[in-house]
Amino acid sequence: MADNKPRIGNHILIYLIWISVFFLIISSSFLTRSISLEGLSNSNSVRTDEGFDSFWTSIVENSGSGSELPLGYLLERWAMSTFGDGAFFEKVYSLVLFVLCGFLLVRVWRLCGNSRLTGWMPMGLWMMVPIVTRTATQNVLEMPLTFFVLMALCSLVRGYFQRRKSDKLAEDHAPASKKYLWRSFYSSALAALWMACAFLTKGFVGCY
């Protein structure tokens, strides 16, 4: 009988197709030095140390005014000091964050019990959103914000399933139930930490 199971290599081909289409879409903006006004403003803030004199003072002053908070700038400044500055630094930095967000999106998909063979589906739908492709290389704070939110979501989903496993083991009076219960608490604490990072990047938008 013929084997009707999908081959492992098939989903890799679909991933490559989606990634190729994405890079084709962003190539015109990535290979030029043009950048959005918001991205230019963010680059200027990072390079001129604006807002870094007092981290907590900046948080208190800007958290209720709708202004950006300093964590996103600090992250980019750390990357700049670690890997060096250059003509395309902002575009590469934004693109790396975008790729990490794509991996996290697939990770959330798999944590929910879905097969890795279909992990390209959420990533592909995400890439189809026009604003996603437009901001992938424009050095806007939505990229680190999305990264922190997805990290929080990963921790929440992992904690949820660990708690369910703990409850199931507790019904059978298995001693391992406490181990999974503590793991769920740890995952919840990590989720709270990542949500705090999202808040410190773009204010209450991160909590939303």
Side-chain angles (χ1 to χ4, degrees):
M1 295 179 62
D3 188 4
N4 295 324
K5 294 183 178 180
R7 297 180 179 180
I8 299 298
N10 291 345
H11 77 288
I12 297 178
L13 178 61
I14 300 176
Y15 277 117
L16 291 177
I17 291 174
W18 272 113
I19 293 172
S20 300
V21 171
F22 168 73
F23 277 104
L24 182 64
I25 293 173
I26 70 166
S27 59
S28 59
S29 63
F30 182 77
L31 298 176
T32 59
R33 297 190 64 177
S34 62
I35 196 170
S36 66
L37 185 61
E38 181 183 350
L40 188 63
S41 175
N42 293 338
S43 299
N44 181 66
S45 297
V46 171
R47 286 182 169 85
T48 59
D49 292 346
E50 180 181 337
F52 296 117
D53 293 336
S54 178
F55 181 79
W56 296 110
T57 300
S58 177
I59 292 172
V60 172
E61 291 177 351
N62 296 330
S63 59
S65 63
S67 301
E68 285 78 6
L69 297 179
L71 184 59
Y73 299 135
L74 288 173
L75 180 63
E76 184 172 352
R77 187 185 182 190
W78 171 82
M80 186 180 294
S81 62
T82 302
F83 301 103
D85 195 2
F88 289 89
F89 168 78
E90 290 86 356
K91 293 181 179 291
V92 174
Y93 170 77
S94 299
L95 189 59
V96 168
L97 283 176
F98 181 89
V99 172
L100 290 175
C101 290
F103 279 117
L104 289 173
L105 197 62
V106 176
R107 179 60 179 165
V108 171
W109 177 262
R110 294 193 60 190
L111 284 173
C112 291
N114 298 292
S115 170
R116 65 176 178 176
L117 300 177
T118 58
W120 57 269
M121 295 174 62
M123 187 179 70
L125 290 173
W126 183 51
M127 289 181 180
M128 289 173 62
V129 180
I131 194 173
V132 171
T133 54
R134 285 200 301 266
T135 59
T137 61
Q138 294 302 309
N139 194 34
V140 293
L141 289 175
E142 277 71 17
M143 281 295 102
L145 172 67
T146 304
F147 171 77
F148 290 135
V149 169
L150 285 173
M151 286 295 293
L153 185 58
C154 280
S155 299
L156 282 174
V157 173
R158 186 184 295 111
Y160 169 74
F161 284 106
Q162 287 170 342
R163 181 58 185 265
R164 284 186 58 182
K165 189 167 186 177
S166 172
D167 292 342
K168 185 176 181 181
L169 290 172
E171 292 177 358
D172 299 331
H173 303 286
S177 64
K178 291 184 178 180
K179 178 179 69 174
Y180 287 100
L181 181 62
W182 281 110
R183 286 182 179 180
S184 69
F185 289 152
Y186 174 72
S187 297
S188 299
L190 275 181
L193 177 63
W194 289 119
M195 287 303 296
C197 290
F199 172 78
L200 294 176
T201 299
K202 209 169 172 63
F204 289 104
V205 177
C207 298
Y208 166 78

